[in-house]
Amino acid sequence: GGVLNSAPSAVAWASGRIDIFARGTGNDLIQKYYDGVNWSGWASFGGGLSSAPAVTTWGSGTLDVFARGSDGLLWQIQYRNGWSGWISHGRQIDDAPGAVAWGSGRIDMILADYHLDTGTGLEVVDADAVACMRILVRAAYPDPWSARSLTLLR
């Protein structure tokens, strides 16, 4: 087995398929999957993580994994018939993100977010602030983002 440095995050994107992600002891993203018959070994995707990952899927053969990097920014790696490199969203976050897909190509990120980008830089808003970042995913790989919006939920 692998040694975890965070809580795991799991998702099923096809019948008999389960993927588990966690932060490894080297602060890398690690994955293990079940193919309906056997469990794989742990694989590393690198990345200097400082939070547990969040994984979601919006269809068969798609995975989107998000985590806070050691730089405090929101980072993502995705699977679309092959793994992308790490993608920075350039957004400061203060804790592990949450992610949910609620339709084809639609992902909502739930962020414990003490900062709100006002266009003049990052300003402290509230230590209890929670934000939702809505992401619309384009089919074009490797640049998947067509629109992003941020809503303060508190």
Side-chain angles (χ1 to χ4, degrees), residues 56 58 64 66 76 78 80 87 89 100-109 132-150:
T56 190
W58 49 268
D64 289 273
F66 301 88
Q76 176 197 17
Q78 62 184 5
R80 309 278 190 279
I87 302 163
H89 289 276
V100 62
W102 55 278
S104 180
R106 295 181 179 270
I107 299 170
D108 277 5
M109 300 292 308
C132 176
M133 185 169 85
R134 177 155 294 154
I135 301 169
L136 302 177
V137 182
R138 281 198 318 235
Y141 177 84
D143 180 15
W145 308 111
S146 62
R148 287 179 242 185
S149 63
L150 185 69

mmCIF file of all heavy atoms in Angstrom, residues 56 58 64 66 76 78 80 87 89 100-109 132-150:
data_model
loop_
_atom_site.group_PDB
_atom_site.id
_atom_site.type_symbol
_atom_site.label_atom_id
_atom_site.label_comp_id
_atom_site.label_asym_id
_atom_site.label_seq_id
_atom_site.Cartn_x
_atom_site.Cartn_y
_atom_site.Cartn_z
ATOM 1 N N THR A 56 -13.110 15.057 -9.462
ATOM 2 C CA THR A 56 -14.462 14.945 -9.984
ATOM 3 C C THR A 56 -14.391 14.471 -11.427
ATOM 4 O O THR A 56 -13.336 14.481 -12.051
ATOM 5 C CB THR A 56 -15.231 16.282 -9.877
ATOM 6 O OG1 THR A 56 -16.611 16.058 -10.173
ATOM 7 C CG2 THR A 56 -14.661 17.336 -10.798
ATOM 8 N N TRP A 58 -16.991 14.515 -15.123
ATOM 9 C CA TRP A 58 -18.247 14.924 -15.760
ATOM 10 C C TRP A 58 -18.594 14.009 -16.930
ATOM 11 O O TRP A 58 -19.479 14.300 -17.711
ATOM 12 C CB TRP A 58 -18.224 16.384 -16.168
ATOM 13 C CG TRP A 58 -17.019 16.841 -16.939
ATOM 14 C CD1 TRP A 58 -15.884 17.383 -16.429
ATOM 15 C CD2 TRP A 58 -16.830 16.786 -18.346
ATOM 16 N NE1 TRP A 58 -15.004 17.667 -17.427
ATOM 17 C CE2 TRP A 58 -15.559 17.311 -18.623
ATOM 18 C CE3 TRP A 58 -17.608 16.341 -19.415
ATOM 19 C CZ2 TRP A 58 -15.045 17.403 -19.914
ATOM 20 C CZ3 TRP A 58 -17.095 16.432 -20.696
ATOM 21 C CH2 TRP A 58 -15.832 16.960 -20.930
ATOM 22 N N ASP A 64 -10.828 15.343 -13.358
ATOM 23 C CA ASP A 64 -10.267 16.645 -13.034
ATOM 24 C C ASP A 64 -9.881 16.609 -11.561
ATOM 25 O O ASP A 64 -10.734 16.369 -10.708
ATOM 26 C CB ASP A 64 -11.278 17.762 -13.292
ATOM 27 C CG ASP A 64 -11.510 17.970 -14.779
ATOM 28 O OD1 ASP A 64 -10.739 18.742 -15.366
ATOM 29 O OD2 ASP A 64 -12.430 17.351 -15.336
ATOM 30 N N PHE A 66 -7.945 18.673 -8.421
ATOM 31 C CA PHE A 66 -7.566 20.007 -7.975
ATOM 32 C C PHE A 66 -6.911 19.903 -6.603
ATOM 33 O O PHE A 66 -7.282 19.052 -5.796
ATOM 34 C CB PHE A 66 -8.806 20.900 -7.852
ATOM 35 C CG PHE A 66 -9.566 21.061 -9.131
ATOM 36 C CD1 PHE A 66 -10.551 20.157 -9.491
ATOM 37 C CD2 PHE A 66 -9.289 22.128 -9.977
ATOM 38 C CE1 PHE A 66 -11.263 20.308 -10.682
ATOM 39 C CE2 PHE A 66 -9.996 22.294 -11.162
ATOM 40 C CZ PHE A 66 -10.977 21.376 -11.511
ATOM 41 N N GLN A 76 -4.437 22.241 -10.996
ATOM 42 C CA GLN A 76 -5.272 21.183 -11.559
ATOM 43 C C GLN A 76 -4.440 20.312 -12.492
ATOM 44 O O GLN A 76 -3.525 20.778 -13.169
ATOM 45 C CB GLN A 76 -6.414 21.794 -12.361
ATOM 46 C CG GLN A 76 -7.259 20.752 -13.057
ATOM 47 C CD GLN A 76 -8.113 21.340 -14.150
ATOM 48 O OE1 GLN A 76 -7.874 22.453 -14.607
ATOM 49 N NE2 GLN A 76 -9.092 20.599 -14.585
ATOM 50 N N GLN A 78 -5.602 17.075 -15.333
ATOM 51 C CA GLN A 78 -6.823 16.477 -15.901
ATOM 52 C C GLN A 78 -6.489 15.297 -16.803
ATOM 53 O O GLN A 78 -5.407 15.219 -17.361
ATOM 54 C CB GLN A 78 -7.600 17.525 -16.684
ATOM 55 C CG GLN A 78 -6.832 18.071 -17.864
ATOM 56 C CD GLN A 78 -7.578 19.186 -18.560
ATOM 57 O OE1 GLN A 78 -8.622 19.622 -18.125
ATOM 58 N NE2 GLN A 78 -7.028 19.653 -19.666
ATOM 59 N N ARG A 80 -7.966 13.332 -20.141
ATOM 60 C CA ARG A 80 -8.837 13.279 -21.325
ATOM 61 C C ARG A 80 -8.116 12.385 -22.333
ATOM 62 O O ARG A 80 -7.366 12.879 -23.164
ATOM 63 C CB ARG A 80 -9.047 14.651 -21.966
ATOM 64 C CG ARG A 80 -9.483 15.761 -21.051
ATOM 65 C CD ARG A 80 -10.976 15.734 -20.791
ATOM 66 N NE ARG A 80 -11.401 16.932 -20.098
ATOM 67 C CZ ARG A 80 -11.286 17.121 -18.785
ATOM 68 N NH1 ARG A 80 -10.742 16.193 -18.029
ATOM 69 N NH2 ARG A 80 -11.705 18.231 -18.229
ATOM 70 N N ILE A 87 -1.821 22.541 -14.339
ATOM 71 C CA ILE A 87 -2.376 23.812 -14.800
ATOM 72 C C ILE A 87 -2.598 24.695 -13.573
ATOM 73 O O ILE A 87 -3.311 24.301 -12.648
ATOM 74 C CB ILE A 87 -3.727 23.595 -15.517
ATOM 75 C CG1 ILE A 87 -3.566 22.643 -16.692
ATOM 76 C CG2 ILE A 87 -4.332 24.923 -15.956
ATOM 77 C CD1 ILE A 87 -4.889 22.060 -17.188
ATOM 78 N N HIS A 89 -4.297 27.907 -11.806
ATOM 79 C CA HIS A 89 -5.414 28.830 -11.981
ATOM 80 C C HIS A 89 -5.056 30.226 -11.493
ATOM 81 O O HIS A 89 -5.879 31.137 -11.586
ATOM 82 C CB HIS A 89 -6.663 28.308 -11.275
ATOM 83 C CG HIS A 89 -7.233 27.126 -11.979
ATOM 84 N ND1 HIS A 89 -8.074 27.233 -13.049
ATOM 85 C CD2 HIS A 89 -7.029 25.804 -11.789
ATOM 86 C CE1 HIS A 89 -8.386 26.021 -13.487
ATOM 87 N NE2 HIS A 89 -7.759 25.145 -12.737
ATOM 88 N N VAL A 100 -17.139 19.519 -7.708
ATOM 89 C CA VAL A 100 -18.268 18.686 -8.116
ATOM 90 C C VAL A 100 -18.620 19.027 -9.557
ATOM 91 O O VAL A 100 -18.620 20.187 -9.953
ATOM 92 C CB VAL A 100 -19.491 18.879 -7.180
ATOM 93 C CG1 VAL A 100 -20.011 20.306 -7.221
ATOM 94 C CG2 VAL A 100 -20.581 17.872 -7.494
ATOM 95 N N ALA A 101 -18.857 18.001 -10.340
ATOM 96 C CA ALA A 101 -19.337 18.185 -11.710
ATOM 97 C C ALA A 101 -20.843 17.982 -11.688
ATOM 98 O O ALA A 101 -21.336 17.015 -11.116
ATOM 99 C CB ALA A 101 -18.670 17.187 -12.646
ATOM 100 N N TRP A 102 -21.569 18.895 -12.309
ATOM 101 C CA TRP A 102 -23.029 18.804 -12.273
ATOM 102 C C TRP A 102 -23.629 18.788 -13.670
ATOM 103 O O TRP A 102 -24.816 18.982 -13.853
ATOM 104 C CB TRP A 102 -23.609 19.906 -11.404
ATOM 105 C CG TRP A 102 -23.189 21.284 -11.788
ATOM 106 C CD1 TRP A 102 -22.026 21.905 -11.445
ATOM 107 C CD2 TRP A 102 -23.910 22.205 -12.603
ATOM 108 N NE1 TRP A 102 -21.983 23.157 -11.989
ATOM 109 C CE2 TRP A 102 -23.133 23.373 -12.707
ATOM 110 C CE3 TRP A 102 -25.134 22.148 -13.261
ATOM 111 C CZ2 TRP A 102 -23.544 24.471 -13.439
ATOM 112 C CZ3 TRP A 102 -25.527 23.261 -13.978
ATOM 113 C CH2 TRP A 102 -24.747 24.397 -14.060
ATOM 114 N N GLY A 103 -22.822 18.501 -14.645
ATOM 115 C CA GLY A 103 -23.274 18.363 -16.023
ATOM 116 C C GLY A 103 -22.075 18.223 -16.918
ATOM 117 O O GLY A 103 -20.931 18.391 -16.492
ATOM 118 N N SER A 104 -22.301 17.901 -18.143
ATOM 119 C CA SER A 104 -21.212 17.728 -19.093
ATOM 120 C C SER A 104 -20.411 19.020 -19.229
ATOM 121 O O SER A 104 -20.945 20.055 -19.606
ATOM 122 C CB SER A 104 -21.765 17.308 -20.457
ATOM 123 O OG SER A 104 -20.709 17.140 -21.366
ATOM 124 N N GLY A 105 -19.132 18.944 -18.868
ATOM 125 C CA GLY A 105 -18.259 20.100 -18.999
ATOM 126 C C GLY A 105 -18.469 21.186 -17.959
ATOM 127 O O GLY A 105 -17.997 22.299 -18.139
ATOM 128 N N ARG A 106 -19.156 20.893 -16.866
ATOM 129 C CA ARG A 106 -19.421 21.905 -15.831
ATOM 130 C C ARG A 106 -18.892 21.425 -14.495
ATOM 131 O O ARG A 106 -19.294 20.370 -14.004
ATOM 132 C CB ARG A 106 -20.911 22.183 -15.718
ATOM 133 C CG ARG A 106 -21.477 22.799 -16.972
ATOM 134 C CD ARG A 106 -22.963 23.073 -16.807
ATOM 135 N NE ARG A 106 -23.500 23.689 -17.980
ATOM 136 C CZ ARG A 106 -23.561 24.996 -18.185
ATOM 137 N NH1 ARG A 106 -23.095 25.816 -17.284
ATOM 138 N NH2 ARG A 106 -24.069 25.486 -19.295
ATOM 139 N N ILE A 107 -18.004 22.224 -13.910
ATOM 140 C CA ILE A 107 -17.408 21.897 -12.620
ATOM 141 C C ILE A 107 -17.566 23.108 -11.714
ATOM 142 O O ILE A 107 -17.280 24.224 -12.109
ATOM 143 C CB ILE A 107 -15.914 21.563 -12.768
ATOM 144 C CG1 ILE A 107 -15.722 20.355 -13.678
ATOM 145 C CG2 ILE A 107 -15.280 21.317 -11.395
ATOM 146 C CD1 ILE A 107 -14.270 20.112 -14.058
ATOM 147 N N ASP A 108 -18.018 22.874 -10.484
ATOM 148 C CA ASP A 108 -18.024 23.911 -9.465
ATOM 149 C C ASP A 108 -16.942 23.578 -8.451
ATOM 150 O O ASP A 108 -16.831 22.441 -7.992
ATOM 151 C CB ASP A 108 -19.372 23.989 -8.744
ATOM 152 C CG ASP A 108 -20.393 24.815 -9.496
ATOM 153 O OD1 ASP A 108 -20.089 25.257 -10.626
ATOM 154 O OD2 ASP A 108 -21.490 25.001 -8.961
ATOM 155 N N MET A 109 -16.132 24.576 -8.134
ATOM 156 C CA MET A 109 -15.108 24.451 -7.104
ATOM 157 C C MET A 109 -15.627 25.159 -5.861
ATOM 158 O O MET A 109 -16.133 26.278 -5.955
ATOM 159 C CB MET A 109 -13.813 25.160 -7.534
ATOM 160 C CG MET A 109 -13.190 24.640 -8.790
ATOM 161 S SD MET A 109 -12.559 22.991 -8.583
ATOM 162 C CE MET A 109 -11.551 23.160 -7.152
ATOM 163 N N CYS A 132 -17.474 30.070 -4.447
ATOM 164 C CA CYS A 132 -17.718 29.044 -5.450
ATOM 165 C C CYS A 132 -17.157 29.548 -6.769
ATOM 166 O O CYS A 132 -17.512 30.629 -7.226
ATOM 167 C CB CYS A 132 -19.215 28.777 -5.596
ATOM 168 S SG CYS A 132 -19.611 27.598 -6.893
ATOM 169 N N MET A 133 -16.256 28.787 -7.367
ATOM 170 C CA MET A 133 -15.712 29.140 -8.674
ATOM 171 C C MET A 133 -16.310 28.180 -9.692
ATOM 172 O O MET A 133 -16.120 26.978 -9.606
ATOM 173 C CB MET A 133 -14.184 29.028 -8.680
ATOM 174 C CG MET A 133 -13.569 29.502 -9.989
ATOM 175 S SD MET A 133 -11.779 29.682 -9.885
ATOM 176 C CE MET A 133 -11.249 28.022 -10.225
ATOM 177 N N ARG A 134 -17.070 28.709 -10.601
ATOM 178 C CA ARG A 134 -17.711 27.883 -11.631
ATOM 179 C C ARG A 134 -16.820 27.848 -12.856
ATOM 180 O O ARG A 134 -16.342 28.861 -13.334
ATOM 181 C CB ARG A 134 -19.067 28.464 -11.994
ATOM 182 C CG ARG A 134 -19.752 27.680 -13.105
ATOM 183 C CD ARG A 134 -21.234 27.833 -13.051
ATOM 184 N NE ARG A 134 -21.719 27.218 -11.823
ATOM 185 C CZ ARG A 134 -22.845 27.579 -11.210
ATOM 186 N NH1 ARG A 134 -23.582 28.541 -11.693
ATOM 187 N NH2 ARG A 134 -23.236 26.968 -10.113
ATOM 188 N N ILE A 135 -16.590 26.645 -13.351
ATOM 189 C CA ILE A 135 -15.707 26.438 -14.487
ATOM 190 C C ILE A 135 -16.493 25.745 -15.594
ATOM 191 O O ILE A 135 -17.121 24.722 -15.363
ATOM 192 C CB ILE A 135 -14.491 25.573 -14.095
ATOM 193 C CG1 ILE A 135 -13.713 26.244 -12.964
ATOM 194 C CG2 ILE A 135 -13.597 25.311 -15.290
ATOM 195 C CD1 ILE A 135 -12.674 25.362 -12.329
ATOM 196 N N LEU A 136 -16.478 26.313 -16.783
ATOM 197 C CA LEU A 136 -17.074 25.666 -17.945
ATOM 198 C C LEU A 136 -15.936 25.092 -18.778
ATOM 199 O O LEU A 136 -15.043 25.823 -19.182
ATOM 200 C CB LEU A 136 -17.890 26.667 -18.765
ATOM 201 C CG LEU A 136 -19.006 27.370 -18.007
ATOM 202 C CD1 LEU A 136 -19.694 28.378 -18.916
ATOM 203 C CD2 LEU A 136 -19.997 26.373 -17.454
ATOM 204 N N VAL A 137 -15.974 23.808 -19.014
ATOM 205 C CA VAL A 137 -14.871 23.116 -19.666
ATOM 206 C C VAL A 137 -15.125 23.025 -21.159
ATOM 207 O O VAL A 137 -16.189 22.592 -21.591
ATOM 208 C CB VAL A 137 -14.695 21.701 -19.074
ATOM 209 C CG1 VAL A 137 -13.525 21.008 -19.720
ATOM 210 C CG2 VAL A 137 -14.514 21.780 -17.567
ATOM 211 N N ARG A 138 -14.148 23.439 -21.946
ATOM 212 C CA ARG A 138 -14.218 23.284 -23.399
ATOM 213 C C ARG A 138 -13.675 21.917 -23.762
ATOM 214 O O ARG A 138 -12.897 21.324 -23.034
ATOM 215 C CB ARG A 138 -13.339 24.328 -24.092
ATOM 216 C CG ARG A 138 -13.941 25.677 -24.172
ATOM 217 C CD ARG A 138 -13.250 26.509 -25.230
ATOM 218 N NE ARG A 138 -11.814 26.359 -25.233
ATOM 219 C CZ ARG A 138 -10.951 27.353 -25.126
ATOM 220 N NH1 ARG A 138 -11.382 28.576 -24.973
ATOM 221 N NH2 ARG A 138 -9.662 27.145 -25.166
ATOM 222 N N ALA A 139 -14.028 21.447 -24.920
ATOM 223 C CA ALA A 139 -13.519 20.163 -25.392
ATOM 224 C C ALA A 139 -12.066 20.271 -25.841
ATOM 225 O O ALA A 139 -11.353 19.295 -25.875
ATOM 226 C CB ALA A 139 -14.381 19.654 -26.541
ATOM 227 N N ALA A 140 -11.616 21.453 -26.215
ATOM 228 C CA ALA A 140 -10.260 21.635 -26.755
ATOM 229 C C ALA A 140 -9.209 21.315 -25.699
ATOM 230 O O ALA A 140 -9.224 21.860 -24.618
ATOM 231 C CB ALA A 140 -10.082 23.061 -27.255
ATOM 232 N N TYR A 141 -8.345 20.404 -26.017
ATOM 233 C CA TYR A 141 -7.260 20.021 -25.131
ATOM 234 C C TYR A 141 -5.986 20.620 -25.692
ATOM 235 O O TYR A 141 -5.813 20.644 -26.903
ATOM 236 C CB TYR A 141 -7.168 18.482 -25.101
ATOM 237 C CG TYR A 141 -6.040 17.948 -24.280
ATOM 238 C CD1 TYR A 141 -6.191 17.788 -22.915
ATOM 239 C CD2 TYR A 141 -4.824 17.624 -24.861
ATOM 240 C CE1 TYR A 141 -5.158 17.300 -22.154
ATOM 241 C CE2 TYR A 141 -3.791 17.138 -24.098
ATOM 242 C CZ TYR A 141 -3.967 16.980 -22.742
ATOM 243 O OH TYR A 141 -2.943 16.502 -21.982
ATOM 244 N N PRO A 142 -5.056 21.163 -24.968
ATOM 245 C CA PRO A 142 -4.946 21.105 -23.511
ATOM 246 C C PRO A 142 -5.504 22.328 -22.792
ATOM 247 O O PRO A 142 -5.395 22.419 -21.593
ATOM 248 C CB PRO A 142 -3.435 21.040 -23.302
ATOM 249 C CG PRO A 142 -2.882 21.876 -24.401
ATOM 250 C CD PRO A 142 -3.826 21.646 -25.581
ATOM 251 N N ASP A 143 -6.056 23.321 -23.478
ATOM 252 C CA ASP A 143 -6.595 24.502 -22.806
ATOM 253 C C ASP A 143 -8.087 24.322 -22.594
ATOM 254 O O ASP A 143 -8.874 24.596 -23.488
ATOM 255 C CB ASP A 143 -6.329 25.761 -23.647
ATOM 256 C CG ASP A 143 -6.878 27.006 -22.990
ATOM 257 O OD1 ASP A 143 -7.207 26.953 -21.794
ATOM 258 O OD2 ASP A 143 -6.984 28.027 -23.680
ATOM 259 N N PRO A 144 -8.497 23.853 -21.410
ATOM 260 C CA PRO A 144 -9.887 23.444 -21.228
ATOM 261 C C PRO A 144 -10.845 24.534 -20.802
ATOM 262 O O PRO A 144 -12.028 24.288 -20.689
ATOM 263 C CB PRO A 144 -9.774 22.410 -20.122
ATOM 264 C CG PRO A 144 -8.668 22.946 -19.273
ATOM 265 C CD PRO A 144 -7.685 23.563 -20.241
ATOM 266 N N TRP A 145 -10.375 25.736 -20.517
ATOM 267 C CA TRP A 145 -11.235 26.695 -19.849
ATOM 268 C C TRP A 145 -11.854 27.692 -20.808
ATOM 269 O O TRP A 145 -11.177 28.360 -21.533
ATOM 270 C CB TRP A 145 -10.439 27.430 -18.774
ATOM 271 C CG TRP A 145 -9.771 26.446 -17.891
ATOM 272 C CD1 TRP A 145 -8.444 26.205 -17.801
ATOM 273 C CD2 TRP A 145 -10.402 25.501 -17.044
ATOM 274 N NE1 TRP A 145 -8.196 25.189 -16.934
ATOM 275 C CE2 TRP A 145 -9.383 24.731 -16.455
ATOM 276 C CE3 TRP A 145 -11.719 25.232 -16.709
ATOM 277 C CZ2 TRP A 145 -9.654 23.722 -15.552
ATOM 278 C CZ3 TRP A 145 -11.975 24.214 -15.812
ATOM 279 C CH2 TRP A 145 -10.959 23.478 -15.241
ATOM 280 N N SER A 146 -13.158 27.770 -20.762
ATOM 281 C CA SER A 146 -13.836 28.757 -21.583
ATOM 282 C C SER A 146 -14.352 29.911 -20.744
ATOM 283 O O SER A 146 -14.488 31.011 -21.223
ATOM 284 C CB SER A 146 -14.985 28.125 -22.353
ATOM 285 O OG SER A 146 -15.951 27.600 -21.461
ATOM 286 N N ALA A 147 -14.667 29.669 -19.488
ATOM 287 C CA ALA A 147 -15.182 30.742 -18.637
ATOM 288 C C ALA A 147 -14.989 30.361 -17.179
ATOM 289 O O ALA A 147 -15.069 29.195 -16.821
ATOM 290 C CB ALA A 147 -16.660 30.973 -18.911
ATOM 291 N N ARG A 148 -14.720 31.366 -16.375
ATOM 292 C CA ARG A 148 -14.621 31.163 -14.931
ATOM 293 C C ARG A 148 -15.320 32.329 -14.255
ATOM 294 O O ARG A 148 -15.176 33.466 -14.661
ATOM 295 C CB ARG A 148 -13.160 31.153 -14.474
ATOM 296 C CG ARG A 148 -12.429 29.906 -14.872
ATOM 297 C CD ARG A 148 -11.020 30.011 -14.394
ATOM 298 N NE ARG A 148 -10.174 29.991 -15.580
ATOM 299 C CZ ARG A 148 -8.882 29.971 -15.570
ATOM 300 N NH1 ARG A 148 -8.242 29.977 -14.442
ATOM 301 N NH2 ARG A 148 -8.191 29.927 -16.663
ATOM 302 N N SER A 149 -16.065 32.031 -13.241
ATOM 303 C CA SER A 149 -16.685 33.097 -12.465
ATOM 304 C C SER A 149 -16.557 32.756 -10.989
ATOM 305 O O SER A 149 -16.467 31.593 -10.627
ATOM 306 C CB SER A 149 -18.156 33.271 -12.842
ATOM 307 O OG SER A 149 -18.887 32.113 -12.547
ATOM 308 N N LEU A 150 -16.531 33.770 -10.143
ATOM 309 C CA LEU A 150 -16.372 33.562 -8.715
ATOM 310 C C LEU A 150 -17.539 34.218 -8.002
ATOM 311 O O LEU A 150 -17.885 35.363 -8.260
ATOM 312 C CB LEU A 150 -15.057 34.182 -8.245
ATOM 313 C CG LEU A 150 -14.703 33.942 -6.785
ATOM 314 C CD1 LEU A 150 -14.361 32.475 -6.569
ATOM 315 C CD2 LEU A 150 -13.524 34.804 -6.387
#
